[in-house]
Amino acid sequence: MRLGVLDVGSNTVHLLVVDAHPGACPLPAHSHKADLRLAQLLDADGAISADGADLLVSVVREALQAAEDKGVEELLPFATSAVRDARNAEDVLARVREETGVKLQVLTGAEEARLTFLAARRWFGWSAGKLLVIDIGGGSLEVAFGLDEEPDAAVSLPLGAGRLTLARLPGDPPVPDDVRALRRHVRAEIARTVGEFSRLGPPDRVVATSKTFRQLARITGAARSVEGPYVPRELKRQSLEGWVPRLSGMTTAERAGLPGVSEGRAGQLVAGALVAEAAMDLFDVECLEICPWALREGVILRRLDHMGPV
């Protein structure tokens, strides 16, 4: 059957259409994306502004039309931290439902971590052993660890690249004192969670998902996206540590000129690099592998599991 996953995130609203059935690998058929930057459309009280709600309704309506055009039989719509943390989330969700008919499911941070972990587990398989999975989104950082498809530990922290850039790195390029302050903040937040994972023993494999990690891997020498999802890609901590000060000294426009860095994400790359570096350091990771599947694929896989065999 043809499924559509509508992901309302902090940076983008992304519709992914796949052909899928239980027991088979979901095959991407279409992608429709809008750079909404919902996290930047909050007012001083932390509520989604009227303009932000208008844009969200419009973008969801466009995605719904795209899903219909592509023959989607079932739509799986969800929202993450930008909506979850908004003071007026219930009102905005009600408006989206009333004006588009789409009922967005707001995932908790723990659910994000678990579903992303499921996607990574299915991608790498049981032979990967114990997985440590790290995901940097626009609004939050998710970390999960385990041997099975359900992780033994999963946490979500408010350390998304977009959130941190908006709140703590106003300059372009950012002021060195702001970068140092953000580095301290990020490391203190992550350090509080390390003990929960270290008691479970070392992972057999460390995996990262998300656009931030893919871009960081690309600028440190990983294969281009056009070479396909099955080409192994990795990010080494030593390489990343060399790039962090370079990225911090660049303007957004200069970062956008780097290989694999999109113009829309270039402004967030310093914060994302600081979070990635801190996570790799504090979890004692020398090298991690990039997983092409993440939260959207996890949502699809969970739905297929509930369908059972045909």
Side-chain angles (χ1 to χ4, degrees):
M1 67 181 300
R2 180 156 282 194
L3 294 174
V5 179
L6 182 59
D7 175 2
V8 177
S10 299
N11 290 313
T12 61
V13 175
H14 189 173
L15 170 71
L16 176 65
V17 177
V18 300
D19 291 318
H21 63 267
C25 175
L27 299 175
H30 179 69
S31 178
H32 176 89
K33 186 183 297 185
D35 288 323
L36 183 59
R37 306 289 170 188
L38 196 58
Q40 299 178 22
L41 299 174
L42 302 178
D43 61 25
D45 296 324
I48 297 173
S49 67
D51 288 345
D54 289 343
L55 287 170
L56 177 58
V57 168
S58 176
V59 168
V60 169
R61 189 178 284 121
E62 290 175 6
L64 191 62
Q65 183 62 56
E68 180 183 322
D69 291 345
K70 296 302 177 181
V72 168
E73 299 176 56
E74 182 178 349
L75 187 67
L76 308 173
F78 67 90
T80 55
S81 63
V83 174
R84 181 171 69 234
D85 298 338
R87 186 176 54 80
N88 60 338
E90 291 301 323
D91 293 338
V92 172
L93 290 169
R95 183 179 167 192
V96 170
R97 184 169 61 252
E98 291 167 5
E99 297 190 26
T100 69
V102 174
K103 184 178 181 180
L104 290 170
Q105 177 189 359
V106 179
L107 300 179
T108 66
E111 286 171 334
E112 283 191 58
R114 288 196 294 268
L115 287 166
T116 302
F117 184 88
L118 171 64
R121 167 58 71 197
R122 293 282 177 90
W123 180 268
F124 286 102
W126 296 113
S127 64
K130 291 185 289 185
L131 285 180
L132 175 64
V133 179
I134 307 170
D135 177 88
I136 302 172
S140 58
L141 163 72
E142 276 73 48
V143 184
F145 178 94
L147 179 63
D148 302 319
E149 292 195 338
E150 183 69 20
D152 297 312
V155 299
S156 178
L157 301 173
L159 298 177
R163 180 197 296 265
L164 295 177
T165 302
L166 189 63
R168 294 175 175 269
L169 294 180
D172 187 21
V175 176
D177 285 348
D178 289 342
V179 174
R180 284 192 292 271
L182 178 56
R183 184 180 188 274
R184 289 193 297 269
H185 169 72
V186 166
R187 286 173 176 262
E189 288 291 312
I190 295 175
R192 295 191 185 103
T193 72
V194 171
E196 180 177 348
F197 292 87
S198 60
R199 65 180 177 80
L200 299 172
D204 297 308
R205 213 159 182 170
V206 182
V207 172
T209 69
S210 77
K211 187 73 169 180
T212 294
F213 272 115
R214 290 199 298 272
Q215 290 183 338
L216 292 172
R218 178 71 186 98
I219 65 175
T220 58
R224 299 174 300 164
S225 60
V226 295
E227 296 181 41
Y230 299 107
V231 176
R233 295 173 176 87
E234 64 180 23
L235 176 62
K236 295 181 179 179
R237 189 168 92 198
Q238 184 177 9
S239 298
L240 178 59
E241 288 173 344
W243 267 98
V244 169
R246 294 174 63 183
L247 293 171
S248 300
M250 293 179 175
T251 64
T252 298
E254 289 170 335
R255 283 180 235 122
L258 295 171
V261 178
S262 64
E263 184 177 352
R265 302 277 184 145
Q268 304 179 8
L269 196 57
V270 174
L274 288 169
V275 174
E277 180 190 35
M280 293 182 74
D281 187 10
L282 292 168
F283 284 103
D284 196 23
V285 177
E286 293 298 328
C287 182
L288 52 75
E289 298 173 78
I290 305 299
C291 179
W293 282 2
L295 177 58
R296 284 183 290 274
E297 287 79 10
V299 170
I300 293 168
L301 293 167
R302 181 62 74 215
R303 176 68 185 96
L304 292 176
D305 288 347
H306 290 165
M307 289 173 61
V310 176

